[in-house]
Amino acid sequence: MDNVTTFNDILKKSFLREYMFGTLSVVDILLSLLTAFMAGAFIYGIYKYTYKGVLYSPSFNATLLVMTMITSLVIMTISTNVVLSLGMVGALSIVRFRTAIKDPLDVVFMFWAIAAGISSGAGLYFLTLFGALIIGVVIIVLSRKKHTDTVYLLVIHYTEEANEEVKRELQKLDYTLKSKIVRQNIVEMTAEVRLKIDNTAFMNSLSNVEGVRDVSLVQYNGDYAV
């Protein structure tokens, strides 16, 4: 009974003694950071080239590059010390990011940067670069896909007397009513319309209706009006 080895004994005597402290050569460190930098720079270029949102953020894009290198550094650090890796898991689990991500595609780029940092920190240099190339090509192909219709927001201000005529003009369009506000005999109508590119001749017809004060058309992507 005295010679029975428990799981705790294995961790204390064998496992920790062999794997608690590891070493990384200067060459390995430089290769990992260089690979992370190359992958991060590639992600930076792809994000800037394919960005289709309202307001491009250079600081967020630069964060992707730096995030890739920092993640690589973290992976190299925990790979040399099993105890430190357990402690870092606990420390990172309490980190909370409060910045709102408005474009779902930004989450993809953030996860891509983290994944590239993990693979480069683990010494999988070919996987990091080749995977970045494949993912970049996929994102470029998807971003260049052309849509036949473009979504716009149509805002019309008119008097109540022009209500029926405005409705008749709108029935010629593929539209969805978003809001309608009436203030002192003045109606403000907001509608979502789908149009072919540069097919805005209907605005002249609406503006010529008696009682219509102004007609505005702005591009709409679901979250923002451009």
Side-chain angles (χ1 to χ4, degrees):
M1 296 294 293
D2 296 336
N3 295 327
V4 175
T5 302
T6 65
F7 182 72
N8 289 333
D9 293 331
I10 295 176
L11 289 180
K12 292 178 181 178
K13 297 179 182 179
S14 175
F15 184 80
L16 294 181
R17 185 182 300 115
E18 182 176 357
Y19 296 104
M20 179 177 289
F21 299 104
T23 58
L24 284 174
S25 65
V26 176
V27 175
D28 291 335
I29 296 174
L30 292 178
L31 281 176
S32 294
L33 291 178
L34 179 61
T35 304
F37 174 79
M38 294 173 62
F42 183 73
I43 296 172
Y44 179 96
I46 294 295
Y47 181 83
K48 185 175 183 179
Y49 179 75
T50 60
Y51 185 78
K52 301 297 183 182
V54 177
L55 184 61
Y56 169 73
S57 175
S59 60
F60 175 80
N61 199 3
T63 300
L64 296 176
L65 192 157
V66 179
M67 182 187 298
T68 307
M69 300 185 67
I70 292 177
T71 305
S72 177
L73 187 62
V74 170
I75 296 301
M76 285 189 289
T77 301
I78 65 178
S79 66
T80 60
N81 191 320
V82 65
V83 176
L84 181 61
S85 66
L86 297 176
M88 188 163 292
V89 169
L92 293 177
S93 66
I94 65 175
V95 176
R96 296 292 184 271
F97 297 97
R98 300 297 183 182
T99 302
I101 303 298
K102 297 181 176 59
D103 190 345
L105 194 59
D106 289 350
V107 179
V108 174
F109 280 94
M110 291 180 66
F111 188 73
W112 183 13
I114 294 173
I118 292 174
S119 59
S120 63
L124 304 174
Y125 310 129
F126 177 77
L127 175 62
T128 303
L129 298 178
F130 184 74
L133 179 62
I134 297 299
I135 295 173
V137 170
V138 171
I139 292 178
I140 290 176
V141 170
L142 293 178
S143 68
R144 296 174 75 99
K145 183 180 179 182
K146 295 183 179 180
H147 301 279
T148 57
D149 294 338
T150 305
V151 180
Y152 293 89
L153 281 181
L154 178 66
V155 182
I156 313 172
H157 292 91
Y158 58 93
T159 60
E160 291 187 355
E161 290 76 10
N163 187 61
E164 295 300 324
E165 187 65 25
V166 169
K167 284 185 177 180
R168 279 194 291 269
E169 292 294 333
L170 289 178
Q171 287 175 356
K172 303 175 183 178
L173 304 173
D174 179 13
Y175 81 99
T176 302
L177 181 64
K178 288 294 185 180
S179 68
K180 185 176 181 179
I181 304 173
V182 181
R183 296 191 187 95
Q184 299 179 352
N185 197 38
I186 300 299
V187 180
E188 178 185 297
M189 176 185 289
T190 302
E192 178 184 297
V193 296
R194 296 181 178 273
L195 306 171
K196 302 296 182 181
I197 298 177
D198 296 331
N199 183 20
T200 59
F202 68 94
M203 294 183 65
N204 295 328
S205 299
L206 280 171
S207 62
N208 290 331
V209 174
E210 184 176 356
V212 174
R213 295 194 171 186
D214 58 73
V215 181
S216 302
L217 188 68
V218 292
Q219 190 174 353
Y220 177 65
N221 67 358
D223 296 316
Y224 300 99
V226 181

